[in-house]
Amino acid sequence: MSFEAPGMLFGMLAALVPLLIHLTNRHRARKRPFAALDFLLLSDKRLARRLKVKQLLVLGLRMLLFAAIPFALAKPFTTSATPENVVVNQPGSVAIIVDDSASMSARAADGRTLLEHALQKAQALVSAAGDRTNFAVLTASRPARLLTPKLTYDRHELERALARVHPTFGPSDMQDALREAERVLSRSEERRRQVAIISEHAAHVWRDVTTPWALKTIPTAALIRVPVPTDHTNMGILGVRVRPVGEGAQTRFEVTVQVKNMGTRPATSVASVAVSDKVAATTFRLKPGEAEKRTVTMSLALDNIFEGRVSLKGDDGLGLDDTFFFVVDLSLAVRVLVVNGAPQSVAYLDETFFLRPALEQSSGRIHATYVNPAELTEKAL
């Protein structure tokens, strides 16, 4: 059993509150012998024992109630990490959805990526299937793709489809993948129709899924989880902002880098900012879930456009979010090629009649070249 919010389990300590109240309020009366009440006390002993048991049961129920609330808020869930819950030894059709989104490039404890584990589980499903089970292979990254033309019994075709699954840089679109799987399965002649979803099943995978099925007769779905490391590091670049801060032959500009620690333990990473032949660096020391912005100042010559890159260096379980490319535009003039699609001898009827004076008001910032369609060549571009 796992929990979506394990921190809520600390709230179960509140179950001790009724017990503490019970112990605090316990006070024994001072005994005073009174002969006339001895017979009454003997008859009340059985009733007192029953009353004590009842009070203990009430106390237990109160403690259980206090413990149940944080347990429910922790959102417990159970999953199957093996493909045994997908029936492949009997006649049927199976649509295998492999999550190939960017987060699946993270490495597991054994050094292999999560996507490699997912492909291994998909291959295990195909290998364990009987002769009357056909398959289709789909990927979940946006846009979702069907890698087999249709459901097929050809194991070699399925192996070739799985070999074409590679990690992508984009997010997953599980909603579209499920709809595509349902569409493929709707053409099956087999009564048993299943969808095997192989993924890390992180929150972002299911965030946009609302109504996954469109048909009345829906297939059964099995969630197969890859071995996600519980203790990992991942420093990622959230964004880069470039802002000029000076004028002159050497123009200064600021590069602001935002980095977040998306791992489970504190991490340190050096962000290297490279623009042309200039390099600057800054160090991030972040706790899990913490994000921070750092700014470096650089200077370059005017009248040019420069490519820049921010790179993170350090121990990281996911390298896709460690590099960010950007552009620094310090050009003095913008060259514009205007294609006059319908030249006219009468000036005010020409398509560029109003455009020419407008561009001339740019104080030399815009340099326009006017050509006819016949003059539009690769050299002109």
Side-chain angles (χ1 to χ4, degrees), residues 235-243 253-261 269-275 280-286 290-298 308-313 321-326:
M235 297 278 276
I237 303 174
L238 295 185
V240 174
R241 184 173 66 92
V242 181
R243 186 175 68 91
F253 59 94
E254 294 179 344
V255 180
T256 302
V257 182
Q258 185 178 17
V259 175
K260 183 177 181 180
N261 183 358
S269 185
V270 178
S272 176
V273 183
V275 182
T282 180
T283 302
F284 290 87
R285 294 180 177 86
L286 303 175
E290 184 181 10
E292 193 173 285
K293 293 182 180 179
R294 295 287 179 83
T295 300
V296 297
T297 303
M298 311 176 76
R309 182 179 66 183
V310 179
S311 303
L312 293 182
K313 297 179 181 179
D321 54 3
D322 292 347
T323 305
F324 196 102
F325 295 92
F326 61 94

Side-chain angles (χ1 to χ4, degrees), residues 104-378:
M104 293 291 286
S105 296
R107 297 197 175 276
D110 60 358
R112 294 192 299 164
T113 64
L114 302 185
L115 182 58
E116 290 174 338
H117 282 278
L119 293 175
Q120 181 181 5
K121 290 180 177 293
Q123 185 61 54
L125 281 177
V126 175
S127 301
D131 296 335
R132 289 285 308 276
T133 303
N134 53 20
F135 292 89
V137 177
L138 303 93
T139 55
S141 64
R142 186 173 300 164
R145 295 180 300 148
L146 176 63
L147 300 183
T148 53
K150 57 182 180 179
L151 289 165
T152 178
Y153 295 93
D154 190 342
R155 301 303 189 249
H156 295 292
E157 184 178 359
L158 292 171
E159 291 179 0
R160 290 192 296 268
L162 292 173
R164 294 200 303 272
V165 180
H166 299 287
T168 63
F169 290 91
S172 61
D173 190 352
M174 192 60 69
Q175 173 89 18
D176 192 24
L178 291 172
R179 287 289 178 89
E180 183 67 12
E182 184 185 35
R183 183 190 66 81
V184 174
L185 292 175
S186 66
R187 301 177 179 178
S188 172
E189 298 179 355
E190 302 289 349
R191 296 186 59 184
R192 187 189 301 274
R193 302 173 184 179
Q194 304 171 92
V195 179
I197 307 167
I198 309 177
S199 169
E200 59 174 339
H201 297 295
H204 68 87
V205 176
W206 299 99
R207 182 178 296 118
D208 299 327
V209 177
T210 53
T211 306
W213 311 119
L215 303 178
K216 291 184 178 180
T217 304
I218 63 176
T220 58
L223 305 182
I224 302 175
R225 182 181 294 272
V226 295
V228 180
T230 56
D231 187 19
H232 65 281
T233 58
N234 179 25
M235 297 278 276
I237 303 174
L238 295 185
V240 174
R241 184 173 66 92
V242 181
R243 186 175 68 91
V245 293
E247 297 180 355
Q250 289 284 328
T251 298
R252 296 171 56 245
F253 59 94
E254 294 179 344
V255 180
T256 302
V257 182
Q258 185 178 17
V259 175
K260 183 177 181 180
N261 183 358
M262 292 171 279
T264 58
R265 59 175 182 259
T268 301
S269 185
V270 178
S272 176
V273 183
V275 182
S276 185
D277 58 345
K278 304 293 181 67
V279 179
T282 180
T283 302
F284 290 87
R285 294 180 177 86
L286 303 175
K287 299 177 181 178
E290 184 181 10
E292 193 173 285
K293 293 182 180 179
R294 295 287 179 83
T295 300
V296 297
T297 303
M298 311 176 76
S299 60
L300 289 170
L302 279 173
D303 199 18
N304 209 340
I305 298 177
F306 302 93
E307 294 182 356
R309 182 179 66 183
V310 179
S311 303
L312 293 182
K313 297 179 181 179
D315 185 19
D316 202 309
L318 179 63
L320 287 181
D321 54 3
D322 292 347
T323 305
F324 196 102
F325 295 92
F326 61 94
V327 173
V328 180
D329 187 0
L330 300 179
S331 58
L332 293 174
V334 178
R335 295 182 176 88
V336 177
L337 182 64
V338 180
V339 181
N340 191 344
Q344 300 291 332
S345 56
V346 181
Y348 65 86
L349 295 179
D350 192 88
E351 285 190 339
T352 62
F353 177 73
F354 293 102
L355 183 61
R356 288 176 183 270
L359 295 182
E360 290 173 0
Q361 300 300 317
S362 65
S363 302
R365 172 70 174 171
I366 299 178
H367 294 174
T369 301
Y370 300 86
V371 298
N372 296 329
E375 301 169 336
L376 181 60
T377 61
E378 184 177 349

